[in-house]
Amino acid sequence: MERNANVGPRYALRLGRLQDWHVLVVRCLCGHVGTVSPGPLRRDYPEHTPIQDLARKFRCRRCGVRGQRVWDVETLPRD
């Protein structure tokens, strides 16, 4: 994956701006790292939803804490 996909400033990033080749990489304070594809998020949230709002809802699968996340958008390799 390519780090720091060029999708604009994090504070203004909306779900509709993410493409199928993007992936949200979410890091919990406990050290666990997970990935979230934008496709399933699009089914549940409107495209104008800020990614920062979604990140607050993510729950760590290791420690169970919600909302304490660091996230980045990365680009999947395309053929």
Side-chain angles (χ1 to χ4, degrees):
M1 281 188 281
E2 178 184 319
R3 294 188 53 92
N4 301 325
N6 187 15
V7 291
R10 290 169 47 115
Y11 65 86
L13 184 59
R14 308 273 176 176
L15 182 56
R17 182 97 161 94
L18 298 181
Q19 303 296 321
D20 291 335
W21 56 83
H22 290 132
V23 64
L24 286 172
V25 178
V26 185
R27 292 169 179 83
C28 182
L29 296 178
C30 76
H32 183 250
V33 177
T35 59
V36 181
S37 299
L41 293 173
R42 286 191 202 114
R43 287 192 300 261
D44 296 331
Y45 299 98
E47 65 180 37
H48 64 272
T49 305
I51 299 299
Q52 287 184 337
D53 290 354
L54 292 175
R56 290 185 194 114
K57 297 178 182 190
F58 295 151
R59 180 184 302 272
C60 179
R61 290 185 177 175
R62 181 188 292 165
C63 70
V65 172
R66 181 187 305 253
Q68 297 296 318
R69 307 283 174 267
V70 176
W71 59 272
D72 289 309
V73 177
E74 296 184 5
T75 303
L76 294 173
R78 294 187 284 172
D79 295 331

